[in-house]
Amino acid sequence: MNFKPVRVVSTALLALLVLSLVLPLAIPSSAQVKEITIGALYPLSGDLASFGKANVEALKIALEDVNKWFEQNGYPWRFKLEIRDSETKPETAKSLFRTLHTAGIRYFLGPMSSGELKEVIAEVKAGAKAVVISPSSTSPALALEDTIYRFPPPDDFQGKVLNMLFQKDGVTHVIIVYRNDDWGKGLADFVELYSKDFKITIVDKIPYDPKAPTFGPIVETVRTKIRGLGVDLSKVAINLIAFEEGVGFLTEASKIEELGKVKWYGSDGTALSAELLKDPVASTFAAKVVWKNTITFAATDIAVRVYWTVKDRVGYSPDPYSFISYDCLWVLALAIAYAGGPENVDKVAEAVWKVLETYEGASGKITLNKYGDRAGSDYAIFAPVTIAGKVEWRMVELYDFGKNTIVKVEKDPFAEKPATLPTTLPKFSPPPKPTPTPTPTPTPAPGVSPALIAVIVIVIVAVAAIAYYILRR
């Protein structure tokens, strides 16, 4: 056999194979899709674990909807969530934010509690450029003009709604027991502030340490104060401002007869608490006293879909902050698109306001005040009720923000699952699509198209392969 032709043909074949691999890289392609990572700092453990788990599921629903819409409408971005457990601890939220920010992430959803968000705000103020949207932080102390947005209304609204509820229910004297952190103290202060407008007497405000709550002595203090009032028990109320650790307070209170005869109120920190329903003693007591909890609310078609989809996944009723979490991701994604991409953080922060001019989502229309916080909303009043021997959460009343009044709810809009869930998406003005940057391309020889060149290459490779096979024989 003559090895020289074989060697020549082999070299030619190798060159052609390399050429066939390189040519596609040299041919200009359409705009590349870019994946943008968003940090999600949510409490999957700790005092808000059931809230965090439900909200994360709502985020996953939003992620699927957002990416599908961006793909169908030809936008060159897709989004990915980097979910981290903040443990309902401010120091953990701070550490996670630092880690993800160092890794290059500039856009964040969460944290849920005001104590956690306070630490993230400190990082941003110290120079960590980022856009952050919280679905549930409500402490008025965090109202700042920055790149931090909060899509629920601050607690000055909730303080007013609680006092309206006290007055409507014939309450004249209230003892507040509150979680001693930024959120708990802030809400307790606003309940006290608005009490003057509604002629409600705040008997006392009793704090407890959320890191090591000891409720027995506090319950005894509350009983002593109630006995000293000399007021009809039907006119006395306990306002428990807590996260899910507050279930322990209800368990202790259930042991004292007088505390079962006063009226009971909570807040958004315990509304729809899954932990309450797991405790037979606390839940039975809560249903007996009709423990009313206030929380921002909307009953849109999207909210119905999110509610039932999340409930099927986690096994319990999600809180309305899940609807806001759904909206948070949509608004952030649209703001990035309005800004022409994620590169300019300040531009994205400004674009949030642009998106909200037309956006209507799961939690309805979102109007912000100058601090980037929601400027008001309806509030649902949820209470545990006994149905067929089982305690369940039900919406019993509604604060109508537009009419500034509380009305009775004849039927909880989420009590029964629809036969077919709505498929509605949020309403908004689509962002302008980015203009592709022209890429200079080599000019092919006159009369020869790139497609023809590709065909020629394939034919040559095939011929060379056949020749090689023949010469090897």
Side-chain angles (χ1 to χ4, degrees), residues 266-285:
S267 71
D268 59 321
T270 43
L272 291 160
S273 166
E275 290 302 311
L276 174 71
L277 301 186
K278 294 178 184 178
D279 189 311
V281 174
S283 60
T284 300
F285 178 76

Side-chain angles (χ1 to χ4, degrees), residues 21 41 73 101 113 131-132 152 184 231 250 256 281 301 328 330 358 371 390 460:
L21 293 172
L41 307 181
N73 289 276
H101 194 274
S113 76
V131 174
V132 181
V231 176
L250 293 168
I256 299 176
V281 174
D301 282 348
C328 287
W330 264 104
T358 59
Y371 302 113
K390 182 180 178 182
I460 292 173

